[in-house]
Every structure is written in C-alpha cells, then in structure tokens.
C-alpha cells in the first residue's frame, strides 16, 4: 500500500520534554558511552602515551669589549636568538653534538627562545629519556661557541641557570582529570546523538503533530496513568489493570473516558452505528485497555454493551478483566465450529458489561476472522445490543484488523506517543478508510507532559521493533508491556 506523503513540509518543532524523556529512558546508553570513553582513555594513557622529558638552561647574552649597555645587550640577544635558531636548523651545531656524544642522530628536539625585554636566552632539549635530554643540552652548550664564534663576534653567552636532569615528564598527563574528561565527553556525545535521533524520529510527539503528520483527526487524548499508585505497590511491582471502575484510577483518567463515551454516543447515534472497532498500528500502544474502558464507560450509561476480543493471536481481555473463560465460552472454539453460541457470552454483574472472550492463541486467526462464523456472530450480537466494541489485533503485518473493519460501522485508531512512525500510521489510516467502517479519528494515548512521567519505547524507524509481527513466537508477554500479566489474577497496564 502506497504511503501517503505527510502533511508536514517544514522541520518539526523541538519538543524538549520528549527529548529529555528519551534521554532519561536511555540513561544506560549514555552511561555506557561514558564508561567506554574512560576505557579508551585508560588504554591510551597506559599503551599509547609516550612520556617526554625536557632539560632547560638559561643563558645570558653579554656584549664583548667595545660595546656596552643594557639596550645593546637586549638588541644583541634578539639578533643572537634568531641567528642561533638558524644555526640549529642548518644542522651545523647538531652534527658537532652528535660527534661529541657519539650518536648517529640526536634523540631530542632543541628549542631556543628569547625572554621578552631581556638579554636572556632559554635553551631546551626534549627527549624520550631524562638523561638523553640532559646530555644533548649539555653538548649544545659545550659546543655552541665552535660555531657561533664565526657568526656572532660581538656577543658572548654565559650560563645563568645550568641544565639539570629532569625528574618528571614535561608532557605529564593528569590521569584522573583525563579519565573524568573522557567520561564527560563520551556521555555528552552519546546524549547529543540520542537527542538528534529523538528529534529526527518521525513519530508523534505531541498533539500539535497529529494534524501536521497524520491523515486523520484527533478524536481524544488519554494522558499517562501511573501504574504504581503507592510506594508499597512499586516495591512489590504489584500488577493491576488500569480501568475506570478501579478506585485507584485518577479523576482525569476516568473523566477522559467519559468524554470519549459522550462523543461516541453522539456520533454513533447520529450515524445509527452500533459496532466499534478499536485497533492500532503496533503492539503495546494501549488499544486493549482503551477498548475495555470505552466498553465499561458505555455500560455505565445502562446501555447493553458487548465487548469482543477479536485478537485471536494473543487474546488478552480475559486477563485485563480477570475473567475465567470456560471451554464452552471459548471464542476460538466457536469459530472453529466445535462449540455452540449458547454459552459464548458472559456478563460482569458489577459493571453490567457483556463479554465474548477467548484464551487460546490461534495461528490461523486470519481464516477464522474471515469465516462465516465471525460475521454471523457480529450480526447476531448487533441485533441484541446497543453497542459492540471489538478489540482487534494490531495492523502491522496482519490482515485481521482490516477484515474486522468490514464488520464494524466505525473505527478508532490508537496512537501511542513516541511509538509508531507517522508513515506506518498513515498506511493504517489508508487501510481503515478503504474498508466498510468509518474512521472516526485517532486516540492519542499514553501522553506524557512531564519529563519524569514513566517509561517509553524506542523505535528509530527500522521496522516495528515491538515483536507483534513475529507471530511464530507467541507466548507470555514480557513484563512491563501492554500485555504483561502475573500468574493467577492477571494484570494489565493501560498505557504501556
């Protein structure tokens, strides 16, 4: 299916909160980069670092007899320094020193400089060993007059500070400071890289980007609901479904679904629609929890609502609602023709919600969804209910949701903040709009407006990266995702 071009033509605005949340989420990558930089710096210090030793001497330039005065000495010093540098560059003096020391080449670098506004010369030799630096410098001082007497006849050099053997490297590294700086630069470099990736990632970061990037409208926004309400529950990692019927759910969360209910009832009543399909692009976008809470909100209005778990690959609603499904009530068994429809529907007495659930994972889910049994079931449920809410599988790589959209009257697409790519979402929008059901818009889910507001998933655009497309590896969902459960009474996190 051809991907629609995004409506956005300009560069997206920088969302600092999203970038900072991304950096906090991947703090371990930043820490790892800093540690690796420290390791590289440590190896450099102990393997690649070569110490150098510098021996220095200070010489004073004096005018020979016949000339005097500080001004003359200073002028002579400047001229002599320039001349001395040329002598060294011509290798005349170096050869003398080599012969004196019995060396084929000088093991050090000779430098000469003038102390500003004085008649002093600084002479230094840098070599790999302290004794070599001293010997070369001593040889230069002892042999310079054999060369310079022919060039500088009006000046004489005297030692003011004689050379000594250096006791420590002149290029000594502060190991601790070097390692600290390496960590800072490594961590900062990774942080900048992750920040750039976060900015350039073409997902949906905030509500403003929905009309810019997506080919549908924003139906509603569901903000992040904290999973652990107390310190004790956080320490025990107590898993619990986030439902509007729960006493621990926040006022904002409950009111959000009441507003969604009001909007749905108006639009579906206006269109005389009964069957609502709830789907998403990828796994872990929170569609199952949204579907359950929409059904519960509708049931609170004394409407006859039937919730159907249309995800035959990975059924999860029975876990969300903590319901046991008898063999006679298995949806998959009914669709396979092995059970009758008499005991297929069960009712939750506390909420008044009717449910058609399943627990089995069916590899041939597409064939079952496309069969006559499913179409007949939805038609029959439509006749005896006010609303039918179908929780479908994600649309990534599977045709189940597209088939179910043919049975539905209207549909909602769940878009989780910072997850699926805009191009992938637009492909799903295209597929839903070409089907029988009318796409009412998208619900922007798990929206975080603060930096410290929970975890997030990464997707850099190189595939979905969330595992739902790998249907050959069905099994228990990983902890912390949308479908994470404990043994016995299961749990579900709405926004994960």
């Amino acid at each position: 299916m051809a991907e629609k071009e995004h409506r956005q033509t300009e560069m997206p605005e920088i969302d600092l909160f999203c970038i900072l949340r991304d950096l906090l989420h991947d703090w371990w990558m930043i820490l790892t980069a800093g540690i690796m930089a420290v390791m590289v710096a440590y190896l450099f210090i102990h393997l690649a670092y070569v110490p150098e030793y510098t021996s220095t001497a200070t010489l004073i330039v004096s005018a020979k007899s016949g000339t005097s005065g500080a001004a003359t000495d200073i002028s002579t010093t400047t001229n002599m320094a320039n001349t001395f540098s040329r002598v060294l560059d011509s290798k005349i003096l170096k050869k003398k020193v080599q012969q004196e020391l019995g060396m084929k080449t000088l093991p050090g670098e000779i430098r000469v400089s003038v102390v500003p506004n004085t008649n002093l010369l600084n002479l230094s030799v840098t070599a790999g060993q302290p004794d070599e630096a001293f010997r070369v410098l001593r040889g230069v001082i002892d042999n310079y007059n054999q060369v310079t007497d022919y060039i500088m006849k009006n000046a004489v050099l005297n030692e003011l500070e004689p050379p000594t053997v250096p006791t420590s490297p002149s290029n000594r590294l502060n190991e601790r400071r070097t390692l600290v700086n390496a960590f800072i630069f490594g961590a900062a470099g990774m942080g900048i890289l992750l920040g750039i990736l976060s900015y350039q990632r073409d997902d949906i970061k905030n509500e403003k980007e929905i009309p810019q990037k997506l080919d549908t409208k924003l139906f509603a926004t569901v903000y992040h609901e904290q999973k652990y309400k107390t310190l004790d529950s956080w320490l025990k990692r107590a898993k619990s479904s986030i439902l509007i019927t729960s006493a621990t759910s926040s006022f904002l969360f409950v009111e959000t679904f009441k507003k969604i209910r009001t909007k749905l009832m108006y639009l579906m009543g206006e269109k005389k629609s009964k069957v609502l399909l709830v789907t998403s692009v990828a796994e872990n976008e929170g569609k199952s929890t949204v579907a359950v809470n929409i059904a519960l909100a509708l049931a609170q209005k004394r409407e006859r609502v039937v919730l159907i778990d249309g995800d035959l690959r990975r059924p999860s609603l029975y876990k969300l609602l903590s319901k046991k499904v008898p063999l006679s009530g298995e949806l998959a068994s009914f669709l396979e023709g092995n059970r009758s429809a008499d005991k297929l529907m069960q009712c939750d007495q506390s909420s008044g919600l009717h449910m058609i659930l399943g627990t089995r994972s069916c590899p041939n889910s597409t064939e079952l969804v496309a069969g006559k049994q499913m179409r007949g079931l939805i038609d029959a449920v439509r006749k005896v209910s006010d609303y039918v809410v179908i929780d479908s599988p994600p649309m990534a790589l599977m045709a189940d949701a597209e088939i179910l959209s043919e049975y539905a009257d209207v549909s909602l697409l769940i878009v989780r903040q910072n997850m699926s790519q805009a191009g992938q979402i637009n492909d799903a929008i295209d597929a839903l709009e070409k089907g029988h059901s009318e796409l009412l818009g998208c619900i922007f889910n798990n929206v975080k407006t603060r930096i410290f507001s929970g975890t997030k998933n990464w997707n850099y655009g190189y595939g979905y990266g969330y595992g739902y497309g790998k249907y050959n590896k069905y099994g228990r969902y990983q902890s912390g995702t949308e479908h994470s459960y404990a043994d016995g009474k299961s749990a579900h996190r709405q926004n994960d």
Side-chain angles (χ1 to χ4, degrees), residues 130-253:
D131 61 321
E132 290 179 347
F134 172 77
R135 291 175 59 201
V136 171
L137 182 56
R138 186 72 267 174
V140 170
I141 295 174
D142 293 341
N143 291 275
Y144 79 90
N145 57 354
Q146 299 181 28
V147 176
T148 58
D149 279 349
Y150 300 100
I151 301 173
M152 297 176 291
K153 298 180 178 181
N154 297 326
V156 62
L157 293 176
N158 296 302
E159 293 184 36
L160 183 62
E161 291 184 5
T164 58
V165 178
T167 57
S168 61
S170 56
N171 62 340
R172 182 177 181 180
L173 289 177
N174 187 326
E175 183 172 344
R176 180 176 180 181
R177 178 179 295 179
T178 301
L179 296 180
V180 170
N181 290 338
F183 177 84
I184 292 174
F185 283 117
M190 177 58 71
I192 293 172
L193 176 62
L194 292 177
I196 293 174
L197 289 175
S198 174
Y199 170 70
Q200 293 183 339
R201 197 170 59 250
D202 192 24
D203 53 16
I204 308 301
K205 298 178 176 61
N206 51 60
E207 294 176 76
K208 293 180 180 179
E209 292 189 342
I210 291 178
Q212 295 175 344
K213 293 185 176 182
L214 302 186
D215 300 314
T216 190
K217 58 186 177 182
L218 176 64
F219 188 85
T221 299
V222 178
Y223 292 95
H224 177 79
E225 180 74 0
Q226 192 67 34
K227 180 178 181 181
Y228 304 114
K229 303 295 183 179
T230 63
L231 178 61
D232 183 64
S233 64
W234 183 83
L235 293 174
K236 294 180 179 178
R237 291 296 193 272
K239 294 181 172 62
S240 59
S241 303
I242 301 182
L243 304 175
I244 61 172
T245 53
S246 173
T248 60
S249 296
S250 68
F251 175 79
L252 176 61
F253 183 74

Side-chain angles (χ1 to χ4, degrees), residues 15-275:
D15 192 325
L16 292 178
F17 282 161
C18 281
I19 293 176
L20 290 174
R21 281 199 302 269
D22 290 349
L23 295 180
L24 287 174
H25 176 266
D26 286 308
W27 62 268
W28 61 273
M29 295 180 65
I30 298 175
L31 178 63
T32 301
I35 293 174
M36 291 181 65
V38 170
M39 294 174 62
V40 171
Y42 182 84
L43 290 175
F44 169 78
I45 292 173
H46 291 274
L47 297 179
Y49 165 66
V50 178
E52 295 179 346
Y53 296 87
T54 301
S55 181
T56 61
T58 301
L59 307 178
I60 185 169
V61 181
S62 302
K64 290 184 179 180
S65 58
T67 60
S68 61
T72 304
D73 289 345
I74 293 174
S75 175
T76 304
T77 302
T78 304
N79 294 332
M80 185 175 182
N82 295 330
T83 304
F84 206 67
S85 298
R86 290 196 299 271
V87 170
L88 293 177
D89 291 338
S90 67
K91 300 181 181 179
I92 298 175
L93 182 57
K94 292 181 181 179
K95 289 182 179 180
K96 289 284 186 181
V97 175
Q98 287 176 214
Q99 294 174 0
E100 175 77 17
L101 300 179
M103 298 177 176
K104 293 182 178 180
T105 58
L106 288 180
E109 181 180 0
I110 305 173
R111 296 186 183 91
V112 60
S113 62
V114 178
V115 179
N117 300 319
T118 69
N119 59 336
L120 302 179
L121 283 177
N122 282 332
L123 191 62
S124 65
V125 174
T126 301
Q129 298 296 328
D131 61 321
E132 290 179 347
F134 172 77
R135 291 175 59 201
V136 171
L137 182 56
R138 186 72 267 174
V140 170
I141 295 174
D142 293 341
N143 291 275
Y144 79 90
N145 57 354
Q146 299 181 28
V147 176
T148 58
D149 279 349
Y150 300 100
I151 301 173
M152 297 176 291
K153 298 180 178 181
N154 297 326
V156 62
L157 293 176
N158 296 302
E159 293 184 36
L160 183 62
E161 291 184 5
T164 58
V165 178
T167 57
S168 61
S170 56
N171 62 340
R172 182 177 181 180
L173 289 177
N174 187 326
E175 183 172 344
R176 180 176 180 181
R177 178 179 295 179
T178 301
L179 296 180
V180 170
N181 290 338
F183 177 84
I184 292 174
F185 283 117
M190 177 58 71
I192 293 172
L193 176 62
L194 292 177
I196 293 174
L197 289 175
S198 174
Y199 170 70
Q200 293 183 339
R201 197 170 59 250
D202 192 24
D203 53 16
I204 308 301
K205 298 178 176 61
N206 51 60
E207 294 176 76
K208 293 180 180 179
E209 292 189 342
I210 291 178
Q212 295 175 344
K213 293 185 176 182
L214 302 186
D215 300 314
T216 190
K217 58 186 177 182
L218 176 64
F219 188 85
T221 299
V222 178
Y223 292 95
H224 177 79
E225 180 74 0
Q226 192 67 34
K227 180 178 181 181
Y228 304 114
K229 303 295 183 179
T230 63
L231 178 61
D232 183 64
S233 64
W234 183 83
L235 293 174
K236 294 180 179 178
R237 291 296 193 272
K239 294 181 172 62
S240 59
S241 303
I242 301 182
L243 304 175
I244 61 172
T245 53
S246 173
T248 60
S249 296
S250 68
F251 175 79
L252 176 61
F253 183 74
V254 175
E255 286 300 309
T256 297
F257 278 95
K258 287 183 178 180
K259 291 179 180 179
I260 293 174
R261 175 188 65 194
T262 301
K263 195 171 182 179
L264 276 175
M265 291 180 69
Y266 172 76
L267 292 175
M268 294 180 71
E270 189 179 53
K271 303 173 188 297
K272 297 182 179 180
S273 303
K274 283 191 173 183
V275 183

Side-chain angles (χ1 to χ4, degrees), residues 310-453:
D311 189 351
L312 300 180
R313 295 276 183 166
R314 304 179 90 166
S316 61
L317 297 188
Y318 79 101
K319 294 180 177 290
L320 280 174
L321 296 165
S322 300
K323 297 295 181 183
K324 293 182 178 179
V325 181
L327 293 176
S328 58
E330 281 283 350
L331 176 58
S333 298
F334 167 76
L335 297 178
E336 291 169 346
N338 299 327
R339 301 286 178 181
S340 65
D342 297 341
K343 299 181 179 180
L344 195 59
M345 188 181 299
Q346 55 178 300
C347 179
D348 180 62
Q349 298 299 324
S350 61
S351 64
L353 178 64
H354 293 76
M355 300 159 288
I356 298 178
L357 308 175
T359 61
R360 288 175 45 204
S361 175
C362 303
N364 61 335
S365 66
T366 303
E367 290 76 11
L368 294 178
V369 169
K372 295 181 180 179
Q373 292 285 81
M374 176 62 87
R375 181 183 290 274
L377 174 65
I378 294 177
D379 288 341
V381 172
R382 179 196 296 269
K383 295 176 182 178
V384 298
S385 61
D386 298 312
Y387 297 99
V388 180
V389 180
I390 303 175
D391 174 34
S392 83
M395 301 185 70
L397 306 179
M398 297 301 299
D400 297 38
E402 295 181 45
I403 296 172
L404 288 170
S405 69
E406 295 297 323
Y407 309 148
D409 300 321
V410 293
S411 59
L412 285 173
L413 183 65
I414 310 304
V415 176
R416 179 174 173 173
Q417 185 184 36
N418 294 133
M419 195 166 203
S420 295
Q421 303 294 293
Q424 300 166 355
I425 300 172
N426 281 325
D427 282 346
I429 291 170
D430 288 344
L432 291 173
E433 288 181 342
K434 290 179 180 178
H436 172 267
S437 64
E438 177 185 352
L439 179 61
L440 298 179
C442 68
I443 291 182
F444 196 29
N445 194 34
N446 194 32
V447 177
K448 304 164 189 173
T449 57
R450 296 175 298 171
I451 298 175
F452 300 99
S453 57

